[in-house]
Amino acid sequence: MPPIVWFAARRVAHGLVTLWFALTITFLLLRLLPGDPATAIASTNMDAAARQELLTKYGLTEALPVQYVKYLSQVLQGDLGTSFSQSEPVTQVLMARLPWTLLLTGTALVVTVAIGIPLGVLAATHARGALDRAIQVGGVMGQSLFVPSIGIFFLFVLGLKLQWFPIGGASAEDTYGLAWYLGVLHHLVLPCASLVLVSLGSYVLTLRSTLIDALGEDFCTLARAKGTRERTVVWKHGLRNALLPATTLLGLQLGFLVGGAVLTETIFAYPGVGRAIYEAVIRLDFPVLQGAFVLLSATVVIANMLTDLVYGLLDPRVRNA
Amino acid sequence: MSAIALPGIEVDPVADQESAASATWYAFRRNPLGLIALGMLVLLTLIAVAAPLISPYPRGFSTDVLQAPSSAHFFGTDSLGRDVFAEVVWGTRISMTVGVSASALAIGIGVLVGMLGAYFRRVDAVLRLVVDLSLSLPVLPLMILVAAVAGPSLGTIIVVISFFSWPEVARVVRSQALSVVNLPYMDAARLVGGGHAWILRRHLLPAVAPVVTVSVVLTASRAVIAEAGLSFLGLGDPNSWSWGRVLYESQQAGSMTSAWWTTLFPSIAILLLVVAATLVALAYNDARNPRGRES
């Protein structure tokens, strides 16, 4: 088997194991926690007969291992239970919301990289200078921000006082075609900026330190000795090698970014999965909460898998590791 | 390092440890940013301890709703006429309690798992897989799910946060312990006939202690942020004031955008604590590193 196929197979297997782990941990936590495990599926406020029917349907009257197998097979078929508050399948409720969360976190990720790379390069090439210090302090501050705080600040200053941006929702009403798309972008700016601010710090700091290391390596010294311009040394020789750890970190940060999206969407009334989680918390709609975690985990796992696969194609060191 | 014992020269390991600690403290004192941050942490701790002396508990409602900051109410009042200054002061107590307890629990589990993984190579593969898997999942939605099912209380919040924070600690401790377990002094400890528990406690634990110190501070500050996040979504303890709850109440009352003081002050409190904790951890790391001391 060629190494690239072997690498892809290993990566996909790892993704599947992660998903299985997410499902199992949800299953175990909900059943081992104090309280009625059935509340995760059927509300105690329900009509007794309807509740019994649901409990039987989800096999909550059976032994744990049997329940586990049933649960896994139902999730695999895309069945995440029924929402209490909307009496609709959870999958349907959340799938309608998912595109907005993907748009929000995806854009935040792209913007983080687009701003993070120049900032990291700037800090690394001016290492120990005033500019580097400023970027480092900014990075630490950014990492310490509480997402809702920065969201509320943007909402108050840029949304309410200056009225540059809409204060909630994801799209303008009664607009079609190009105007609708522009409206979507306009609504995206503030929630996206809040997320970028909190994720940028650690990305820049990691990139900075790996790039400083890379620029001190022999291959960079050789490139300089050949008379290559410093700009080419930094961008072509150094950065290419420093991007790997930064990209790995970005993968780890995805989970964190999704958590940030829950808070951001809550503040900006953005109609994504995160806002659905907030609404489900208020209504104690456990199936939606469980489904949202499973769905977001799957998103993170798939995104991580794709990033790694692309990276494996680009960088032989990754696929042969 | 005092690993080589020459005849005639007595090396007292305890005295050496003390000098390492004082060298670290000496280097730390020369870092103004680190000192300011440490002072900030001490101040916040004092506020948390002395909360009853500083301000009465934000209990009763009053008719002075949504008053802007004044000399009567330093931070203004919220939508039910409660003093925001009192809420933030008492919030310091709860937020720091949650941060410290959750961090203590997470550190305990994380250090144990990390050391066991590095020391007993057979269980390492399993432990590493569990840590890697839990690190790659979106933690906040999982915490929300568990906190919602278990019901809101301070105990729930602490357990939930620590349960999902230990993998990060375990990862850091494990990688530090791995660089130590193969050193000759560990073999020597085994040769003298030391039991596993004794070696772990007396030889491995001191080696990972500096990493753990940094971890304590960082985990605690992350726990404060996690608590604020859960409370902000309404999963906090409804009977105790934390910074996250102040923000939550403001959002619920719709005063988030009309009364800036109800959100600005708790936000600043969170930022101050987390920045101070991060800077102390960074300064300690720099001070501990002998290479950084010369410059």
Side-chain angles (χ1 to χ4, degrees):
Chain A
M1 215 168 13
I4 185 86
V5 177
W6 182 230
F7 164 75
R10 249 189 359 226
R11 198 57 199 77
V12 171
H14 185 257
L16 289 177
V17 171
T18 316
L19 268 185
W20 165 81
F21 182 76
L23 291 175
T24 307
I25 208 171
T26 327
F27 177 85
L28 286 179
L29 281 175
L30 288 182
R31 276 152 192 87
L32 297 181
L33 279 173
D36 187 358
T39 47
I41 304 293
S43 162
T44 37
N45 298 331
M46 282 170 121
D47 173 51
R51 184 163 198 266
Q52 196 56 44
E53 191 190 325
L54 259 182
L55 291 189
T56 324
K57 185 192 165 202
Y58 286 96
L60 279 169
T61 43
E62 290 171 80
L64 269 185
V66 181
Q67 284 187 35
Y68 181 59
V69 173
K70 277 202 169 174
Y71 164 78
L72 282 187
S73 75
Q74 267 160 354
V75 172
L76 283 181
Q77 290 164 32
D79 182 355
L80 290 166
T82 308
S83 159
F84 300 163
S85 53
Q86 308 177 48
S87 22
E88 253 182 279
V90 169
T91 322
Q92 207 172 312
V93 174
L94 292 176
M95 276 313 203
R97 305 287 200 105
L98 189 62
W100 292 114
T101 300
L102 290 183
L103 178 70
L104 176 60
T105 46
T107 315
L109 209 61
V110 171
V111 175
T112 302
V113 174
I115 302 178
I117 289 180
L119 277 181
V121 169
L122 216 56
T125 48
H126 296 77
R128 297 197 167 266
L131 198 62
D132 178 37
R133 278 292 151 92
I135 292 177
Q136 279 195 64
V137 171
V140 171
M141 292 283 273
Q143 275 179 304
S144 316
L145 285 175
F146 180 49
V147 193
S149 298
I150 199 71
I152 295 168
F153 177 76
F154 280 161
L155 196 67
F156 188 73
V157 176
L158 299 176
L160 276 168
K161 290 290 155 195
L162 297 171
Q163 305 213 331
W164 287 354
F165 298 99
I167 55 164
S171 57
E173 278 174 28
D174 299 323
T175 52
Y176 302 95
L178 187 64
W180 187 82
Y181 285 105
L182 286 177
V184 167
L185 274 185
H186 201 201
H187 282 82
L188 190 61
V189 174
L190 291 187
C192 185
S194 321
L195 275 186
V196 169
L197 264 187
V198 286
S199 65
L200 194 59
S202 52
Y203 186 75
V204 172
L205 293 181
T206 311
L207 187 62
R208 172 192 171 273
S209 68
T210 49
L211 186 55
I212 287 178
D213 287 347
L215 288 176
E217 297 260 358
D218 289 347
F219 62 83
C220 282
T221 314
L222 176 69
R224 286 192 194 102
K226 281 193 308 185
T228 315
R229 277 187 312 168
E230 188 59 25
R231 232 174 84 182
T232 321
V233 173
V234 171
W235 288 90
K236 289 257 162 75
H237 297 256
L239 187 62
R240 276 198 182 186
N241 287 285
L243 272 182
L244 179 58
T247 311
T248 314
L249 174 95
L250 212 56
L252 274 178
Q253 269 208 315
L254 256 179
F256 168 78
L257 207 60
V258 165
V262 176
L263 298 166
T264 319
E265 287 178 7
T266 301
I267 288 177
F268 290 99
Y270 203 79
V273 177
R275 179 81 185 178
I277 289 183
Y278 170 68
E279 286 159 7
V281 166
I282 297 177
R283 297 170 187 151
L284 289 180
D285 197 338
F286 298 119
V288 171
L289 286 180
Q290 180 188 328
F293 169 65
V294 170
L295 193 65
L296 291 177
S297 302
T299 312
V300 170
V301 167
I302 291 171
N304 261 329
M305 208 162 71
L306 291 180
T307 326
D308 279 7
L309 286 179
V310 172
Y311 222 97
L313 283 178
L314 295 177
D315 190 337
R317 285 177 305 179
V318 177
R319 61 172 180 262
N320 296 329
Chain B
M1 284 285 150
S2 58
I4 312 157
L6 297 172
I9 302 173
E10 271 190 42
V11 180
D12 185 357
V14 178
D16 198 45
Q17 243 174 30
E18 267 169 14
S19 73
S22 63
T24 301
W25 173 234
Y26 180 73
F28 190 97
R29 274 186 315 187
R30 290 194 304 173
N31 183 341
L33 212 55
L35 272 188
I36 296 173
L38 189 65
M40 197 66 231
L41 281 190
V42 172
L43 179 69
L44 284 170
T45 313
L46 283 180
I47 293 178
V49 173
L53 301 175
I54 300 171
S55 172
Y57 190 80
R59 194 173 277 110
F61 307 141
S62 82
T63 46
D64 300 339
V65 287
L66 295 178
Q67 302 257 312
S70 63
S71 56
H73 303 285
F74 301 130
F75 292 177
T77 60
D78 71 3
S79 57
L80 293 172
R82 289 168 299 199
D83 186 39
V84 177
F85 178 72
E87 291 175 2
V88 172
V89 165
W90 282 82
T92 313
R93 183 174 254 206
I94 298 298
S95 290
M96 286 187 87
T97 308
V98 172
V100 170
S101 331
S103 150
L105 215 59
I107 295 281
I109 306 174
V111 169
L112 197 66
V113 170
M115 284 198 336
L116 289 180
Y119 188 73
F120 299 108
R121 303 316 308 277
R122 278 199 204 134
V123 290
D124 190 38
V126 180
L127 291 179
R128 223 183 98 193
L129 189 67
V130 172
V131 168
D132 276 357
L133 290 180
S134 18
L135 280 177
S136 57
L137 293 175
V139 176
L140 188 65
L142 190 54
M143 287 205 246
I144 293 170
L145 173 65
V146 175
V149 173
S153 81
L154 222 50
T156 309
I157 295 278
I158 292 171
V159 171
V160 166
I161 292 176
S162 56
F163 189 81
F164 296 111
S165 311
W166 68 263
E168 178 68 37
V169 183
R171 193 179 62 84
V172 178
V173 169
R174 177 183 167 274
S175 68
Q176 173 71 18
L178 268 184
S179 65
V180 174
V181 283
N182 290 325
L183 291 183
Y185 84 92
M186 293 294 285
D187 292 330
R190 249 172 252 128
L191 274 178
V192 230
H196 291 314
W198 179 76
I199 295 178
L200 282 175
R201 203 179 60 243
R202 288 286 301 161
H203 293 276
L204 196 51
L205 190 59
V208 298
V211 197
V212 175
T213 314
V214 174
S215 249
V216 168
V217 181
L218 292 182
T219 312
S221 66
R222 280 203 206 101
V224 168
I225 293 233
E227 190 278 335
L230 289 175
S231 293
F232 179 72
L233 293 168
L235 289 165
D237 187 337
N239 299 315
S240 51
W241 284 100
S242 75
W243 293 330
R245 185 180 160 205
V246 184
L247 289 171
Y248 166 74
E249 300 256 334
S250 166
Q251 208 231 6
Q252 286 298 301
S255 58
M256 194 167 78
T257 45
S258 57
W260 53 267
W261 52 91
T262 55
T263 54
L264 181 69
F265 296 110
S267 294
I268 289 179
I270 297 174
L271 185 66
L272 273 182
L273 175 63
V274 179
V275 169
T278 314
L279 288 178
V280 166
L282 285 179
Y284 173 75
N285 240 349
D286 285 348
R288 194 172 56 82
N289 185 355
R291 267 183 299 177
R293 275 186 208 145
E294 283 121 38
S295 64

